[in-house]
């Protein structure tokens, strides 16, 4: 099954295209970038609240995939705007969805995040500390930000079995799905092999990650 | 004991001030920011190679501490230029020190990184994958980048005992030192309490982190 694409620069059109993709074409979700022409996903000027509401209402999967960071003057060498820029843009997007309340207002929204959730899924506690000690961090959400991070789903693209294990143990085997990033060189050519290298992972957890979670999220069974 | 400060915008002056700080004032190291007026630490225009060489020669500790990201247009709300910007600027700095070969050329350089090493120490495998698959990532260094990351030292400011445990298990108890970030609100008020919450940490490892490593790095004994 496939995911659709929507023109997020126009929220009304994005909602119409989402409806078309799901209702007419039978697609099970949409993939969006982690910013819209350099604007954060919760930027009021974009008005994407209605788009997130429609995604939640339709029960489809929203897949977030970055394309480098939008201010990359210091990331020009060594492919850093992919190596660092991708997990960064993801972190900025997910952080805004959390702190600006999109996840709180749409508790049934299913959001899958590429590359094992980027930096944030592996270094989440700093935002909780900020929420606890800084009044400017708790203007919108009432619970610690990591409680909303736990709502997201993450793919297995971590490039290391121990990092993947950390991810699974932190967010639960029911929140991790197999990823390939095919056909890019930064992808994982042997995702089942990577999963098999995760130590002491129960068979039930492995089955969920290798397919059952995706089947549920994409309504394949 | 204290650390000195040096004017990195002028490499010659930085070396002179480093010598003064160490030889005349008895300081045991210097603290520098993770960029120099928005330039990466390995930017040829800065010419800091001689500074790193002098740090190595003197055997002093170089402490990297960020002050937000230098291109922060998308990090203006929710204190994000600290919450995200600090571990990001650290990541950009450490990545350049690794990929541009500063760590390879100065194998005895002792670099301590604030905030548990920022994002990179907790999400290090993507750079190794890039080094393996991308020719533009292996123009300088001959070994996987994480081999150089393992040379760094990290403080305990992770805000969560499991993240701290992950850090210790990945880089070794001999590479982690107690951090406070005192007196800032993003600091850790009870660093020994955080360390005590790390499960199944041997007493010897705890002692190293709580003081022995710092004593060694700062030549206190």
């Amino acid at each position: 099954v496939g995911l659709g694409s929507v023109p997020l620069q126009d929220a009304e059109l994005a909602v119409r295209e989402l409806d078309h993709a799901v209702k007419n074409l039978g697609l099970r979700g949409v993939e969006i970038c982690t910013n819209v022409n350099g604007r954060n996903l919760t930027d009021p000027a974009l008005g994407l609240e209605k788009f997130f509401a429609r995604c939640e209402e339709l029960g489809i999967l929203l897949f977030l995939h970055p394309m480098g960071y939008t201010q990359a003057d210091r990331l020009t060498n060594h492919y850093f705007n992919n190596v660092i820029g991708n997990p960064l843009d993801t972190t900025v997007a997910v952080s805004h969805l959390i702190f600006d309340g999109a996840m709180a207002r749409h508790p049934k929204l299913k959001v899958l995040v590429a590359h094992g959730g980027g930096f944030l899924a592996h270094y989440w506690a700093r935002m909780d500390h900020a929420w606890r000690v800084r009044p400017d961090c708790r203007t919108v959400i009432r619970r610690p930000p990591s409680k909303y991070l736990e709502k997201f789903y993450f793919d297995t693209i971590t490039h290391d079995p121990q990092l993947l294990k950390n991810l699974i143990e932190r967010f639960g085997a029911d929140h991790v799905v197999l990823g390939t990033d095919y056909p890019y060189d930064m992808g994982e050519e042997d995702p089942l092999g990577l999963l098999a290298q995760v130590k002491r992972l129960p068979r039930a957890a492995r089955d969920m990650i290798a397919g059952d979670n995706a089947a549920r999220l994409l309504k394949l069974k």
Side-chain angles (χ1 to χ4, degrees), chain A residues 23-46:
Chain A
K23 294 180 178 176
N24 300 337
L25 305 179
L27 296 171
R28 307 303 168 90
V30 288
E31 175 177 342
I32 64 172
C33 189
T34 42
N35 69 81
V36 182
N37 298 327
R39 288 182 187 272
N40 292 313
L41 295 178
T42 54
D43 188 324
L46 291 171

Side-chain angles (χ1 to χ4, degrees), chain A residues 4 21 51 61 112 117 123 140 144 164-165 168 171 178 192 196 199 202 210:
Chain A
F51 172 74
L61 184 66
L112 171 63
Y123 188 93
V140 182
L164 180 52
K165 185 176 173 67
I168 295 166
F171 298 101
L178 213 65
L192 286 170
K199 290 178 185 163

Side-chain angles (χ1 to χ4, degrees), chain A residues 30-108:
Chain A
V30 288
E31 175 177 342
I32 64 172
C33 189
T34 42
N35 69 81
V36 182
N37 298 327
R39 288 182 187 272
N40 292 313
L41 295 178
T42 54
D43 188 324
L46 291 171
L48 290 180
E49 187 66 21
K50 67 190 74 164
F51 172 74
F52 298 132
R54 192 77 182 123
C55 288
E56 182 185 33
E57 191 181 347
L58 290 170
I60 56 98
L61 184 66
L62 186 61
F63 179 35
L64 291 187
H65 192 291
M67 280 183 61
Y69 196 56
T70 50
Q71 291 190 288
D73 291 358
R74 289 176 58 203
L75 304 174
T76 51
N77 293 328
H78 314 296
Y79 207 46
F80 280 172
N81 202 24
N82 179 301
V83 180
I84 297 172
N86 272 359
L88 167 61
D89 216 82
T90 296
T91 295
V92 174
V94 171
S95 297
H96 279 93
L97 290 175
I98 292 172
F99 278 82
D100 282 324
M103 300 306 287
R105 287 187 298 275
H106 306 291
K108 292 185 178 171

Side-chain angles (χ1 to χ4, degrees), chain A residues 15-218:
Chain A
V15 169
R16 291 219 314 268
E17 190 72 2
L18 171 64
D19 281 342
H20 173 64
V22 173
K23 294 180 178 176
N24 300 337
L25 305 179
L27 296 171
R28 307 303 168 90
V30 288
E31 175 177 342
I32 64 172
C33 189
T34 42
N35 69 81
V36 182
N37 298 327
R39 288 182 187 272
N40 292 313
L41 295 178
T42 54
D43 188 324
L46 291 171
L48 290 180
E49 187 66 21
K50 67 190 74 164
F51 172 74
F52 298 132
R54 192 77 182 123
C55 288
E56 182 185 33
E57 191 181 347
L58 290 170
I60 56 98
L61 184 66
L62 186 61
F63 179 35
L64 291 187
H65 192 291
M67 280 183 61
Y69 196 56
T70 50
Q71 291 190 288
D73 291 358
R74 289 176 58 203
L75 304 174
T76 51
N77 293 328
H78 314 296
Y79 207 46
F80 280 172
N81 202 24
N82 179 301
V83 180
I84 297 172
N86 272 359
L88 167 61
D89 216 82
T90 296
T91 295
V92 174
V94 171
S95 297
H96 279 93
L97 290 175
I98 292 172
F99 278 82
D100 282 324
M103 300 306 287
R105 287 187 298 275
H106 306 291
K108 292 185 178 171
L109 190 60
K110 298 183 292 190
V111 187
L112 171 63
V113 189
H115 312 127
F119 293 136
L120 191 64
H122 299 259
Y123 188 93
W124 54 267
R126 189 171 180 84
M127 72 175 173
D128 273 16
H129 179 83
W131 179 85
R132 283 193 298 268
V133 302
R134 304 268 321 177
D136 50 340
C137 283
R138 46 199 307 166
T139 51
V140 182
I141 54 174
R142 299 290 175 88
R143 302 166 66 209
S146 67
K147 290 294 168 195
Y148 302 101
L149 183 62
E150 290 167 6
K151 299 272 194 174
F152 287 79
Y153 298 87
F154 310 100
D155 77 14
T156 53
I157 307 274
T158 52
H159 303 292
D160 176 75
Q162 183 61 48
L163 289 184
L164 180 52
K165 185 176 173 67
N166 295 348
L167 185 72
I168 295 166
E169 293 195 337
R170 177 62 184 83
F171 298 101
D174 57 335
H175 277 254
V176 179
V177 303
L178 213 65
T180 64
D181 239 345
Y182 182 84
Y184 299 104
D185 55 8
M186 289 299 288
E188 172 59 59
E189 286 196 0
D190 182 14
L192 286 170
L194 176 66
L195 190 59
Q197 289 180 62
V198 176
K199 290 178 185 163
R200 295 179 296 282
L201 185 66
R203 185 182 185 103
R206 191 158 306 188
D207 289 345
M208 292 168 80
I209 295 167
D212 292 347
N213 292 336
R216 187 181 79 246
L217 290 168
L218 298 169

